[in-house]
Amino acid sequence: MATAPIQSDGAPATRGIRSRRAFLRASAIAGGGLLLHAVLPAAARAALTAPSADTATLNAFVRIAPDGIVTIIAKNPEIGQGVKTMLPMLIAEELDVDWDHVRIEQAMLDAAHYGAQVAGGSMATPLNWDPLRRVGAAGRQMLIAAAAETWGVPDSECRTAGGTVYHDPSGQSAGYGALAAKAARLPVPDLKSVTLKDISDFKIIGRSIRGVDTPAIVTGQPLFGIDVTVPGMLYAVFQKCPVFGGKVVRANTDAIKSLPGVRDAFVVKGGDAANGLVDGVAIVAESWWAAEKARRKLEVAWDEGPGATQSSAGFAAGAAALGREAPAKSLRRDGDAKMALANAAHVVEAAYSYPFLPHLTLEPQNCTAEVRDGKAELWAPTQNPGPGARIVAATLGITESDVTVHMTRCGGGFGRRLSSDFMAEAASIAKTVGAPVKLLWNRQDDMRHDFYRPAGFHFFKGGLDAGGKLVAFTDHFVTFGHGDRVADSASMDPGEFPAGLVEHVDYGLSMLPLSVPTGALRAPRSNAFAFAFQSFIDELAHAAGEDPLAFRLALLGSETRLLPSAVDPKNPLRAFNTGRMHGVLQLVAEKSNWGKAELPKGTGMGVAFYFSHLGYFAEVVRASVAPSGSVKLDKVWIAADAGSQIINPINAENQVQGAALDGIGAALGQAITIERGRVVQANFDGVPLLRIDQAPPVEVHFLTTDHQPTGLGEPALPPAIPALCNAIFAATGKRIRKLPIDPAELKWS
């Protein structure tokens, strides 16, 4: 089965999140153990419909050895979000085994067994919550059946606990290891009919369990792509045109070949797709440092192409011009916003903008590849190994089945490793030199050849009636695209809040041409739209003379409404539930003591909320601004509704805290600037990460509701940015309408 299609935000395209059908297969393993093959078409297919059994693919493995050790295969890439621990917890809970007896192994890419193997969109929890628990429950049922048959007793008289089956009436018991071989020969239950535990009986789910890789990470053991070594391996660097889409005219490769340690240097001719092999010059050496030093003497003549005329200043000027005109395309039109604005008691207008952003993964892009006898083997820190294998196969002119991908742990992903350009480069270079090659980008490569979070421009108008009620809301969104196609991660959902809650709404779109590659970055689209929309909502609240939190609650209304997603209207989980957002706003107000604390001059509190990736988050930031304009964050409060269960609390809290700090760091100083078609910034001195002395305490509160559990790694980020900007306004009276925040514009006395 093909892997699930990926939306432009990096998330698996979904239509429903419930498991409709699932299967389990069992077999014995050497030594008498039990192997459970979990066939979960609902979790593996993008649409999550019910394919026939003969099209379902293996999606998870459980091995039970004679000594009672349970090995669970982690199928998805681990990029730091904790799925390598969290997903096996679901199986182990229902299997009813002690966590101390669980071992976890990282899967290789194997679509025939696992279906979609992807890290993106915060979808691991909603896709696997029910199906993987049923895998564990079915395994437990088989082990009970094996014990009951051995003892000649009814299944109903047996129970399990901690990896052991008990028959209390006779006092007999047997460990899973002793029963595994017999269980493997028994009929496999239908996953739809197995009994799941009551939440009150959970022993693993809901318990804080540290990541299974943590000991190896803190002791420096090799786990990441950058750590990979294979026999006979050479090292490579790859120089690409500084202007996106540029082509090699000539290079001094003969001179480079004569340098110490260099094995080869050659021009690579690629295609036009940024997510693949493009033109460049490869240098292969006996060590990475030898290759990197040789690159400093590389001289390349480039045909930079039409992209060399583009710049951030030009984009801003073009957007300003478009903003004065009518939108080229209508996204949504409710009522008559033009007339409502003309009749409004007060009209607020504001223009908001945000820059391109890089992913800033601490581990630069890298891949180790060997190509031999028409087959390719790769070791890659990838979020999306399936499409990566397809791109490699197309690059080399071989079949996809002849590409083997070992998934290494990723030193950060954030959407960057959904793209597979570094895999195609490594494979092409390895094929040319006829030896295993580790391609390793330096930081400059990483910063200047990313798939950036798109910049964007919003031209808002809001109309208030005499009582301060919002009666009209418009946005002319200027983004980027090619022809009629919006650039990756640069589109806008017509259901963007407050659409559906305001009588007169008009959303329109215009596009600027772009040669810069764009892509998904943590909470794609939402990380930008939350800043613009929630900051402008704050402006409207102040113009209405209302408390910003009360204004938002009034917009949501007192009665719960479901506002279907304009892009996925039939999926109830993607519908915006006003009652759930109401709940987190009230919780964050309570925990932050909103509106009750007296704050010193130069200190303010800001609030924002956002619904993205199925999660409901409301956040309050307290920040202080010195007369010099420097910003200090005092504290962040977060209230989250991610459903009925937090699977691994310690990891969940870390994910939420990290997401909020990620957003705050971007707001305080991160931007990618384009000049003459090339990226200006080259390292962390130009795009600084948040420093530890800048990071405030982040207090996280989860609101448990009667909804299916959802993901956490992305939806906590978007509200942090507008909450910070709104806090700065409360502290200084100065509104942040352009990111990143410029302290020079915040000076006060």
Side-chain angles (χ1 to χ4, degrees):
M1 184 185 74
T3 54
I6 303 297
Q7 301 176 150
S8 62
D9 63 357
T14 57
R15 190 167 301 278
I17 312 293
R18 296 188 181 277
S19 171
R20 292 182 172 83
R21 187 178 176 91
F23 305 92
L24 199 69
R25 297 173 184 163
S27 59
I29 58 177
L34 169 66
L35 176 63
L36 297 179
H37 309 254
V39 182
L40 307 174
R45 295 184 65 89
L48 299 184
T49 53
S52 61
D54 59 355
T55 63
T57 58
L58 194 66
N59 205 305
F61 290 113
V62 177
R63 295 200 305 268
I64 302 178
D67 62 0
I69 295 297
V70 177
T71 299
I72 300 176
I73 304 299
K75 75 181 186 73
N76 282 357
E78 174 58 83
I79 62 173
Q81 81 281 44
V83 295
K84 190 174 178 181
T85 304
M86 184 269 288
L87 293 182
M89 288 173 66
L90 302 179
I91 297 174
E93 177 65 72
E94 296 291 349
L95 189 62
D96 210 4
V97 62
D98 286 339
W99 185 253
D100 291 345
H101 293 161
V102 173
R103 306 292 181 264
I104 298 174
E105 294 179 4
Q106 179 66 59
M108 295 171 55
L109 172 64
D110 191 341
H113 287 143
Y114 303 112
Q117 293 172 273
V118 61
S122 292
M123 295 302 294
T125 295
L127 286 173
N128 292 289
W129 166 251
D130 185 77
L132 290 189
R133 288 171 60 213
R134 291 185 179 278
V135 169
R140 172 167 45 89
Q141 185 172 319
M142 294 170 68
L143 290 158
I144 287 175
E149 183 178 296
T150 299
W151 300 327
V153 300
D155 291 15
S156 59
E157 292 184 359
C158 297
R159 64 178 179 86
T160 63
T164 300
V165 181
Y166 295 91
H167 183 244
D168 292 333
S170 67
Q172 298 182 90
S173 65
Y176 285 180
L179 298 167
K182 188 167 197 173
R185 297 191 293 269
L186 296 178
V188 176
D190 182 352
L191 291 186
K192 293 182 297 182
S193 65
V194 297
T195 302
L196 299 177
K197 286 185 178 181
D198 185 82
I199 191 170
S200 62
D201 295 325
F202 285 170
K203 297 181 179 66
I204 294 174
I205 295 175
R207 169 182 151 198
S208 288
I209 296 176
R210 297 196 179 276
V212 295
D213 285 342
T214 299
I217 292 171
V218 299
T219 55
Q221 298 179 40
L223 283 173
F224 300 92
I226 203 170
D227 298 323
V228 170
T229 59
V230 299
M233 186 178 77
L234 299 174
Y235 296 81
V237 298
F238 188 54
Q239 183 69 33
K240 292 182 279 193
C241 183
V243 177
F244 300 102
K247 304 291 185 181
V248 177
V249 177
R250 60 185 176 276
N252 64 333
T253 53
D254 288 340
I256 298 300
K257 291 178 186 178
S258 67
L259 295 175
V262 174
R263 291 287 192 91
D264 204 353
F266 49 89
V267 171
V268 174
K269 301 304 291 183
D272 296 322
N275 186 24
L277 185 68
V278 300
D279 267 30
V281 180
I283 301 174
V284 182
E286 295 168 2
S287 70
W288 181 81
W289 183 234
E292 181 65 14
K293 283 198 301 181
R295 173 157 54 170
R296 297 176 184 181
K297 297 186 178 181
L298 182 64
E299 298 174 2
V300 186
W302 302 99
D303 176 1
E304 295 183 345
T309 63
Q310 296 188 344
S311 69
S312 292
F315 295 146
L322 288 173
R324 291 188 290 269
E325 302 174 0
K329 178 182 179 181
S330 176
L331 295 177
R332 180 175 185 139
R333 188 165 290 159
D334 298 342
D336 190 338
K338 184 176 181 180
M339 180 176 292
L341 287 170
N343 295 330
H346 185 45
V347 175
V348 180
E349 295 188 45
Y352 281 77
S353 65
Y354 39 84
F356 295 98
L357 285 182
H359 291 84
L360 303 180
T361 60
L362 290 185
E363 178 193 23
Q365 310 317 305
N366 65 89
C367 180
T368 301
E370 181 173 15
V371 180
R372 190 184 303 275
D373 301 326
K375 297 181 184 296
E377 187 170 12
L378 298 95
W379 294 259
T382 171
Q383 293 180 243
N384 212 8
R390 287 197 288 276
I391 289 171
V392 167
T395 299
L396 300 179
I398 61 178
T399 62
E400 187 179 342
S401 61
D402 287 327
V403 179
T404 299
V405 179
H406 304 267
M407 291 185 289
T408 68
R409 188 179 175 103
C410 301
F414 316 118
R416 173 57 180 93
R417 300 183 200 273
L418 290 168
S419 299
S420 306
D421 47 338
F422 53 96
M423 296 174 66
E425 292 167 6
S428 175
I429 295 169
K431 179 181 180 181
T432 300
V433 300
V437 169
K438 176 189 281 188
L439 172 70
L440 175 60
W441 292 18
N442 64 20
R443 185 61 59 192
Q444 183 172 330
D445 295 328
D446 212 49
M447 194 81 76
R448 290 181 167 171
H449 292 283
D450 203 343
F451 291 80
Y452 303 93
R453 193 284 303 273
F457 308 85
H458 295 262
F459 300 88
F460 291 118
K461 292 182 182 179
L464 301 166
D465 67 13
K469 180 183 177 182
L470 183 61
V471 294
F473 190 98
T474 70
D475 177 28
H476 181 179
F477 174 40
V478 178
T479 186
F480 298 92
H482 308 276
D484 294 331
R485 183 179 179 182
V486 180
D488 191 11
S489 296
S491 60
M492 176 172 150
D493 188 335
E496 194 70 34
F497 181 87
L501 297 171
V502 177
E503 184 177 359
H504 304 284
V505 171
D506 197 340
Y507 291 162
L509 176 147
S510 298
M511 290 193 295
L512 296 165
L514 183 69
S515 64
V516 178
T518 61
L521 186 146
R522 192 173 191 173
R525 296 192 295 268
S526 304
N527 57 44
F529 293 154
F531 157 67
F533 280 80
Q534 284 289 308
S535 295
F536 186 60
I537 291 289
D538 213 67
E539 288 203 55
L540 292 169
H542 284 280
E546 296 287 341
D547 171 81
L549 195 144
F551 187 80
R552 287 170 169 80
L553 288 172
L555 270 175
L556 291 169
S558 57
E559 295 184 1
T560 295
R561 293 180 58 187
L562 286 179
L563 305 177
S565 165
V567 296
D568 196 2
K570 295 183 179 180
N571 184 350
L573 275 181
R574 293 202 181 275
F576 177 53
N577 184 314
T578 61
R580 296 180 72 179
M581 193 61 78
H582 203 282
V584 293
L585 266 174
Q586 289 180 317
L587 180 59
V588 82
E590 172 194 337
K591 297 300 181 180
S592 66
N593 203 28
W594 177 267
K596 297 177 182 178
E598 288 199 21
L599 303 176
K601 185 177 181 180
T603 298
M605 294 175 71
V607 65
F609 69 74
Y610 208 74
F611 168 61
S612 71
H613 298 80
L614 312 183
Y616 295 78
F617 281 76
E619 305 182 16
V620 168
V621 169
R622 187 175 70 205
S624 300
V625 182
S628 64
S630 64
V631 178
K632 176 181 179 295
L633 282 93
D634 302 318
K635 190 167 182 178
V636 178
W637 293 266
I638 299 178
D641 177 355
S644 61
Q645 180 67 55
I646 302 300
I647 297 169
N648 188 352
I650 189 172
N651 182 69
E653 184 178 26
N654 290 343
Q655 285 292 301
V656 171
Q657 290 172 329
L661 294 176
D662 204 1
I664 287 168
L668 287 176
Q670 295 176 11
I672 286 294
T673 306
I674 307 299
E675 291 182 6
R676 296 185 296 118
R678 64 200 75 209
V679 172
V680 173
Q681 294 76 15
N683 214 315
F684 291 131
D685 58 343
V687 188
L689 291 169
L690 190 72
R691 298 293 184 132
I692 194 167
D693 61 352
Q694 295 175 290
V698 181
E699 187 177 301
V700 181
H701 300 274
F702 294 110
L703 181 64
T704 302
T705 58
D706 189 21
H707 297 276
Q708 182 173 332
T710 55
L712 293 166
E714 294 177 281
L717 187 152
I721 301 172
L724 168 59
C725 294
N726 295 338
I728 290 172
F729 173 79
T732 65
K734 299 177 184 291
R735 184 65 69 179
I736 306 295
R737 298 193 182 98
K738 180 181 179 181
L739 292 177
I741 296 165
D742 184 357
E745 298 180 358
L746 301 181
K747 296 179 181 179
W748 61 274
S749 58

